[in-house]
Amino acid sequence: MQVQLNPTGVLNLLSKLEVDLLQASSSTERYKLFRNCVLAVLNVGSHTDSSSEIYDKYQDFDVKLIARERGIKIELDTPPETAFVDGKIITGIHEHIFSVIRDLLFIYQRHEPTEDEQQITHMVFDMLRNASALPVNTDPNMIVCWGGHSISEIEYKYTKEVGYELGLRGLNICTGCGPGAMKGPMKGATIGHAKQRITSNRYLGLTEPSIIAAEPPNPIVNELVILPDIEKRLEAFVRTAHGIIIFPGGAGTAEELLYLLGILLHPDNQKQCLPVILTGPESSADYFKEICQFVEDTLGEEALSKFEVIVGDPKKVAVTLKQAMPKVREYRKSQGDAYYFNWTLKIEHQFQMPFDPTHENMANLNLSLDQNKEFLAADLRRAFSGIVAGNVKDEGIREIKKHGPYQLHGETTLMEKMDTLLQAFVEQGRMKLPGSKYTPCYVVNK
């Protein structure tokens, strides 16, 4: 089956030069990345968290850009049938496909790779602005929700309840756009927004190319932005957030928390007004005890002061964040900062530079308690990021098959704490989707 699609969004109006540049981009080495991301978007609702499984299943799939004087068309060859209803592509999927073109082909032409901190932040801002994800003249109301793609049914229902309470209070939702704790808050918020007759509801999904196939955009996402790598994705989260909720999760959620704490521990961010709440049902209480203990043992009591834990009370979570929004507004106003993008947040170089989780790089991480807490947080974040890559990302899975599990080395005390936390994730089924057999992609050397 072959299907041609007309453009949507900003790609509706392109110059001849832009059309030529887009078509040229689609024939470069970036094409494989582009093709895989389009395939991932077409697989909304898939029940696998293995990128390689999706790529292997649809080896015959192809996508082409067709240049016209008035713009472009996209041609899909042998796309997944689940993306169509009565022969017509689902509207949300249609829009997301052109989000892929906008972010992977169009925006990349405007930015060269750089290690400059300001340039990296500008690129994140430019991509969000180009996607119309930074509305001006609106009060703070964007709540970023983090959490695992593999969570229990009780935990998933809880994320929906929290989303519902947030929606009732007119708060919008931003997540990593996948299943589990990324889908639940959005789904709950749709009901809360509907009850309040809110029609300007936003369900912003931020992802990156290597994770999108394992966690394709869930059906609720109505704004999709694909950042170049995990580090820029994380920066986009914290700069667009007016508040952050962290639900139970596995290695990826630990990575997000460590990234956030590493930034908030910077002296320049001591006065930042960014409420952070860790929450889940009563059955997840032990999970949060383990997380808090790990944070205290590695980053200290100051790191614990950067967030609040609320267990089993969705309404309290929503009320706490709603009451914090005027404070966020006043802080941004006092700093002369934008409500829609937190420019004053200091993000150091080590949190911005992409980390390639090769076996060598994973083995060489500085996992020692005897160092600056920010630097420790950065390398702990990289360690968990590598584990995520080995669990669900195509290139990571293939590297593990080829070279065996990652070898993590470090100070004995820290290694024991990491091993305890990771083993808890495994026993609680947080590393893979329920029903999937998990073989660790790492070895913690004590």
Side-chain angles (χ1 to χ4, degrees):
M1 177 174 69
Q2 285 188 338
V3 179
Q4 288 191 356
L5 304 175
N6 289 315
T8 62
V10 297
L11 298 180
N12 258 329
L13 188 62
L14 295 175
S15 70
K16 183 66 167 62
L17 176 60
E18 288 170 331
V19 171
D20 292 342
L21 286 172
L22 273 177
Q23 192 171 42
S25 296
S26 68
S27 61
T28 64
E29 59 184 22
R30 195 175 295 141
Y31 167 76
K32 182 179 179 181
L33 186 67
F34 167 60
R35 178 253 184 203
N36 287 346
C37 285
V38 171
L39 178 58
V41 166
L42 287 163
N43 268 281
V44 169
S46 64
H47 299 288
T48 177
D49 60 357
S50 171
S51 303
S52 57
E53 185 177 321
I54 290 177
Y55 299 150
D56 291 343
K57 182 178 179 180
Y58 295 101
Q59 294 183 31
D60 293 335
F61 171 74
D62 197 12
V63 56
K64 297 176 183 176
L65 290 181
I66 302 173
R68 304 176 300 171
E69 292 301 323
R70 63 182 183 276
I72 60 168
K73 271 194 172 186
I74 190 169
E75 182 176 273
L76 307 176
D77 189 359
T78 323
E81 294 182 3
T82 53
F84 297 82
V85 175
D86 298 335
K88 294 187 66 175
I89 193 166
I90 295 171
T91 301
I93 294 177
H94 186 171
E95 292 175 354
H96 290 340
I97 287 174
F98 282 91
S99 294
V100 173
I101 300 175
R102 179 198 67 215
D103 293 337
L104 291 193
L105 300 183
F106 186 65
I107 199 71
Y108 277 30
Q109 295 163 5
R110 294 162 56 169
H111 296 277
E112 295 294 330
T114 179
E115 295 188 6
D116 182 87
E117 293 177 23
Q118 289 186 328
Q119 288 296 322
I120 291 172
T121 297
H122 173 69
M123 181 180 186
V124 172
F125 171 80
D126 195 29
M127 293 192 71
L128 292 168
R129 177 179 58 181
N130 197 58
S132 300
L134 300 175
V136 297
N137 301 323
T138 57
D139 285 333
N141 64 11
M142 181 59 76
I143 307 301
V144 166
C145 297
W146 287 337
H149 73 291
S150 177
I151 56 176
S152 69
E153 185 63 25
I154 292 174
E155 290 171 341
Y156 177 67
K157 288 181 179 178
Y158 183 85
T159 68
K160 287 199 296 184
E161 291 170 4
V162 172
Y164 171 70
E165 296 291 345
L166 294 171
L168 285 177
R169 290 161 178 81
L171 297 172
N172 288 311
I173 310 293
C174 172
T175 77
C177 83
M182 293 167 276
K183 178 182 177 182
M186 290 184 167
K187 197 167 185 179
T190 60
I191 306 301
H193 288 152
K195 281 191 172 183
Q196 296 287 24
R197 301 299 187 263
I198 296 172
T199 57
S200 57
N201 38 5
R202 299 183 63 209
Y203 311 110
L204 174 62
L206 303 180
T207 186
E208 50 105 0
S210 63
I211 199 71
I212 191 173
E215 298 175 357
N218 67 67
I220 314 298
V221 173
N222 61 8
E223 299 177 40
L224 176 67
V225 185
I226 305 169
L227 285 304
D229 50 59
I230 186 65
E231 288 74 15
K232 293 179 184 62
R233 180 197 192 196
L234 288 168
E235 181 164 350
F237 276 129
V238 297
R239 291 204 188 274
T240 57
H242 300 121
I244 296 178
I245 295 173
I246 303 178
F247 295 106
T253 304
E255 174 188 7
E256 291 163 339
L257 176 60
L258 290 163
Y259 173 89
L260 178 62
L261 293 178
I263 291 171
L264 294 180
L265 286 171
H266 192 285
D268 290 357
N269 293 326
Q270 291 301 309
K271 296 181 180 180
Q272 280 285 335
C273 184
L274 182 62
V276 180
I277 296 175
L278 274 60
T279 190
E282 293 286 353
S283 59
S284 302
D286 288 343
Y287 167 85
F288 291 113
K289 289 180 182 178
E290 291 163 353
I291 288 288
C292 289
Q293 189 63 59
F294 181 77
V295 169
E296 183 177 11
D297 290 344
T298 55
L299 302 181
E301 291 186 6
E302 184 185 356
L304 285 178
S305 70
K306 301 299 181 182
F307 59 83
E308 178 181 359
V309 178
I310 298 175
V311 176
D313 196 338
K315 182 178 179 180
K316 183 178 179 181
V317 173
V319 168
T320 301
L321 287 169
K322 180 64 175 180
Q323 290 177 345
M325 291 303 100
K327 299 175 185 176
V328 174
R329 185 182 187 278
E330 286 306 308
Y331 173 78
R332 298 283 182 93
K333 187 176 181 180
S334 70
Q335 300 298 308
D337 201 358
Y339 297 158
Y340 51 82
F341 192 83
N342 191 342
W343 289 102
T344 62
L345 192 68
K346 176 66 176 177
I347 301 181
E348 289 280 18
H349 191 257
Q350 66 264 27
F351 291 101
Q352 289 186 315
M353 293 309 299
F355 174 67
D356 183 12
T358 64
H359 282 70
E360 180 181 4
N361 288 342
M362 289 287 282
N364 290 333
L365 291 172
N366 182 11
L367 301 177
S368 168
L369 293 171
D370 187 22
Q371 60 175 312
N372 181 292
K373 297 302 183 184
E374 296 167 52
F375 290 106
L376 174 57
D379 265 6
L380 284 172
R381 197 283 300 177
R382 294 182 183 114
F384 283 101
S385 185
I387 292 171
V388 173
N391 283 346
V392 301
K393 296 183 180 181
D394 180 51
E395 65 272 23
I397 292 171
R398 296 185 191 281
E399 284 298 300
I400 296 299
K401 287 181 180 179
K402 185 177 180 180
H403 301 293
Y406 294 125
Q407 300 291 323
L408 295 172
H409 303 274
E411 185 181 317
T412 301
T413 303
L414 178 54
M415 290 294 94
E416 290 176 346
K417 297 182 186 304
M418 278 194 69
D419 192 42
T420 298
L421 184 64
L422 288 167
Q423 188 57 39
F425 290 166
V426 173
E427 292 172 356
Q428 294 167 15
R430 300 189 184 281
M431 292 296 207
K432 295 287 285 182
L433 288 173
S436 303
K437 181 181 178 181
Y438 180 66
T439 302
C441 65
Y442 61 90
V443 173
V444 178
N445 295 283
K446 304 175 188 177

